[in-house]
Amino acid sequence: MLFVAAQSFNSEQLIKTLCASQTRSTYCEIYSDCSKSALSVCSASLPLLNQMCLTDFSTASECAQVKSYCGASNCAGDALLSAIPPAKNTSDLIYLTCQEMPMMTDCKTCPPPSATSPVSNCALLSTYSKLCLDMPGMSQCKPFNAFCAVAKTSSFCATTTGSTGSTPTSAPTKSDAFRLAPVSLLMLLL
């Protein structure tokens, strides 16, 4: 007979405690987004907490009980949880994007990771979102596009629905206006 330990922690409260201790977590950004969107992770806090303890908070002492409990129980979440890139991955993707396109505005908001701080000190998911909404075709944005395909209602994903489904988009930028101006002028001359 398999014995499953009773849950002896409050998932919601533990998420709040972990997020207060470390602000550089993509999962904490998702959790704070729950008040603005109807994401599936918002309705069940245990799978979100488990994912946090397996990734962004893997060394946190508060996660010992969660890991023990979830090791014996099914704490798995839905497809959305597996689509959220952990903080370290997101930090690396931001860095790679900004190495390739250093003039992007949002590159200035997120300092590069360092030997003493391997995760950038910024709002990671928010910055990554802005970069990928500006340049959705960049290879570094594949995880973001996969996340948005699952998290259509997230405030991190601006979407338009066309014949191909939902894809991240952004409002035209000043550079778009300058790039399109000669085309508009040429059309007036014709």
Side-chain angles (χ1 to χ4, degrees):
M1 180 175 176
L2 179 65
F3 174 73
V4 178
Q7 183 177 336
S8 61
F9 52 87
N10 179 318
S11 300
E12 190 85 20
Q13 188 56 48
L14 199 46
I15 289 172
K16 290 176 183 176
T17 300
L18 290 170
C19 290
S21 71
Q22 177 183 318
T23 57
R24 297 178 295 175
S25 169
T26 52
Y27 300 100
C28 292
E29 286 186 78
I30 289 291
Y31 180 73
S32 67
D33 188 47
C34 286
S35 64
K36 299 177 228 161
S37 59
L39 297 174
S40 58
V41 297
C42 301
S43 61
S45 57
L46 183 58
L48 176 61
L49 177 60
N50 182 48
Q51 191 70 16
M52 290 169 71
C53 287
L54 293 173
T55 56
D56 292 356
F57 296 92
S58 62
T59 60
S61 60
E62 296 90 344
C63 286
Q65 286 181 308
V66 177
K67 289 177 183 177
S68 176
Y69 177 79
C70 289
S73 302
N74 182 10
C75 297
D78 59 12
L80 175 58
L81 272 179
S82 60
I84 300 168
K88 175 72 172 105
N89 296 23
T90 305
S91 180
D92 291 345
L93 290 165
I94 291 168
Y95 176 74
L96 292 171
T97 301
C98 292
Q99 286 293 102
E100 191 173 319
M101 303 290 287
M103 299 309 291
M104 292 180 79
T105 304
D106 293 296
C107 289
K108 296 175 183 88
T109 65
C110 215
S114 66
T116 57
S117 180
V119 176
S120 297
N121 189 14
C122 64
L124 293 166
L125 192 54
S126 178
T127 301
Y128 183 49
S129 168
K130 290 173 186 173
L131 291 169
C132 290
L133 289 172
D134 282 346
M135 300 288 283
M138 291 187 76
S139 62
Q140 296 89 336
C141 293
K142 286 180 183 176
F144 175 77
N145 294 335
F147 164 73
C148 287
V150 179
K152 295 177 177 93
T153 62
S154 172
S155 64
F156 295 106
C157 303
T159 59
T160 57
T161 305
S163 59
T164 59
S166 296
T167 54
T169 63
S170 65
T173 63
K174 289 179 187 175
S175 62
D176 290 334
F178 289 118
R179 187 173 38 89
L180 298 174
V183 174
S184 300
L185 183 59
L186 181 61
M187 292 179 76
L188 287 173
L189 294 174
L190 296 176

